[in-house]
């Protein structure tokens, strides 16, 4: 831990951090962050708040208080929050979405830890299967999580196709970040080694899928299906892909990785990733690994 982290650890003044979301009942973020506060010896508490879109401005303004470290954001606030912030990281500005707000002496700085968190989790999921690290990728969705995924995959030089129920939203995303907006039937699936569900399809509903009636046999045998949804741990998308013999992973790894990066930005303390993963395992014991982080 660095000097700044030691000073914060020694502080006895209670501090607060939040998650703003709508809905919010699915989140496991408080379990992770409160475990990390304990691991770092910090007197602080993380809570999830149900914030509706019309309430976002007031909720963000409340983060300027001296005892607030910052907040995480998930559906539907990652893009809508931008006008309420004082500054943005280069990644957040490029992606056009913020999942982490840091209170810097009353000035609110927006960052995006989804993109690096996704790449870290993806690397772990691809371990031992180098074929999935090359070739084309498909991102499902066009919201804040999808923007982070496209930004991350494009940074690796991959060809990325974006599919969304509203094609114009996919086209807008690709205009900003690169990639190619496509209708599902126009994707060259035989060249796709990675599918990323960055939509909310399946969130809280194990029977919902972003790819109804999809023939997973049209993909290469080495393809990986990565679902950012983590609750339920086993979505219909993952069940169907696994039944077809493909590798799958859900969103808990990304959730832990992006949470750790946000926590480090607030506190300068660097708890091991196992602190976050263990907290997730204790609160969702059947999970193997939100849009929805956090």
């Amino acid at each position: 831990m660095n000097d700044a982290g030691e000073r914060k650890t020694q502080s006895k003044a209670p501090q607060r951090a939040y998650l703003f979301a709508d809905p919010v009942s699915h989140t496991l973020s408080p379990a992770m962050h409160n475990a990390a506060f304990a691991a770092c010896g910090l007197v602080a508490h993380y809570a999830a708040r149900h914030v509706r879109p019309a309430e976002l401005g007031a909720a963000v303004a409340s983060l300027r208080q001296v005892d607030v470290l910052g907040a995480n954001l998930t559906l539907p606030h990652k893009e809508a929050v931008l006008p309420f912030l004082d500054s943005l990281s280069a990644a957040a500005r490029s992606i056009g979405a913020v999942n982490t707000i840091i209170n810097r002496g009353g000035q609110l700085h927006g960052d995006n830890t989804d993109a690096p968190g996704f790449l870290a989790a993806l690397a772990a999921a691809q371990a031992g299967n180098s074929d999935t690290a090359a070739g084309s990728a498909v991102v499902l969705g066009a919201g804040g999580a999808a923007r982070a995924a496209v930004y991350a995959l494009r940074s690796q030089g991959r060809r990325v196709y974006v599919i969304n129920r509203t094609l114009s939203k996919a086209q807008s995303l690709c205009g900003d970040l690169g990639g190619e907006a496509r209708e599902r039937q126009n994707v060259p699936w035989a060249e796709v080694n990675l599918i990323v569900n960055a939509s909310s399809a399946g969130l809280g509903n194990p029977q919902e899928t972003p790819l109804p009636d999809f023939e997973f046999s049209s993909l290469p045998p080495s393809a990986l299906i990565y679902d950012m949804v983590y609750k339920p741990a086993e979505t219909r998308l993952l069940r169907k892909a696994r039944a077809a013999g493909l590798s799958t992973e859900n969103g808990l790894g990304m959730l832990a990785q992006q949470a750790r990066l946000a926590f480090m930005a607030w506190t300068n303390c660097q708890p091991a990733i196992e602190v976050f993963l263990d907290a997730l395992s204790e609160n969702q014991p059947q999970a193997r690994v939100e849009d929805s982080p956090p």
Side-chain angles (χ1 to χ4, degrees), residues 19-24 48-52 55 77:
L19 169 69
F20 296 161
D22 180 24
V24 76
R49 287 180 53 185
H50 185 193
V51 175
R52 296 175 177 82
E55 302 165 340
H77 303 314

Side-chain angles (χ1 to χ4, degrees), residues 44-278:
H45 182 71
Y46 184 104
R49 287 180 53 185
H50 185 193
V51 175
R52 296 175 177 82
E55 302 165 340
L56 182 60
V60 171
S62 72
L63 301 177
R64 299 182 186 275
Q65 298 176 58
V66 68
D67 62 337
V68 176
L69 295 167
N72 290 131
L73 302 162
T74 187
L75 280 171
H77 303 314
K78 292 183 181 183
E79 297 167 83
V81 75
L82 298 180
F84 302 113
L85 303 177
D86 300 305
S87 61
L88 297 173
S89 68
R93 184 176 296 107
S94 295
I95 295 169
V98 163
N99 79 319
T100 301
I101 300 173
I102 305 144
N103 181 9
R104 296 177 172 173
Q107 295 291 297
L108 301 182
H109 179 72
D111 200 357
N112 191 302
T113 66
D114 280 341
F118 168 63
L119 287 181
L122 185 61
Q126 291 172 330
N129 186 1
S130 59
D131 288 343
T132 65
S136 301
V138 166
V139 173
L140 307 175
R147 295 182 72 88
V150 172
Y151 174 87
L153 293 170
R154 291 279 295 163
S155 74
Q156 294 185 323
R158 297 184 71 145
R159 187 171 190 174
V160 180
Y161 301 103
V162 180
I163 299 175
N164 191 59
R165 284 177 297 183
T166 305
L167 181 61
S168 60
K169 286 196 67 175
Q171 292 170 330
S172 177
L173 184 159
C174 293
D176 293 338
L177 297 172
E180 303 173 43
R182 293 285 181 95
E183 299 282 3
R184 184 174 124 179
Q185 65 271 20
N186 295 327
V187 172
W189 292 106
E191 302 171 10
V192 173
N193 278 325
L194 174 66
I195 295 178
V196 179
N197 178 31
S199 77
S200 60
L203 179 62
N205 184 351
Q207 298 308 315
E208 186 180 28
T209 176
L211 288 177
D213 305 316
F214 182 71
E215 293 294 336
F216 286 95
S217 59
S218 61
L219 298 170
S222 60
L224 170 67
I225 313 303
Y226 192 98
D227 197 338
M228 287 187 181
V229 170
Y230 68 84
K231 197 170 186 179
E234 178 87 330
T235 61
R236 183 179 174 189
L237 177 70
L238 297 186
R239 286 201 309 274
K240 294 292 187 181
R242 192 173 299 117
L246 300 177
S247 298
T248 63
E249 197 67 72
N250 70 19
L252 282 184
M254 177 181 172
L255 179 64
Q257 294 285 354
Q258 62 79 30
R260 180 174 183 267
L261 293 171
F263 186 90
M264 289 164 55
W266 294 329
T267 67
N268 291 316
C269 182
Q270 301 181 26
I273 188 62
E274 285 76 18
V275 171
F276 298 85
L277 292 171
D278 288 349

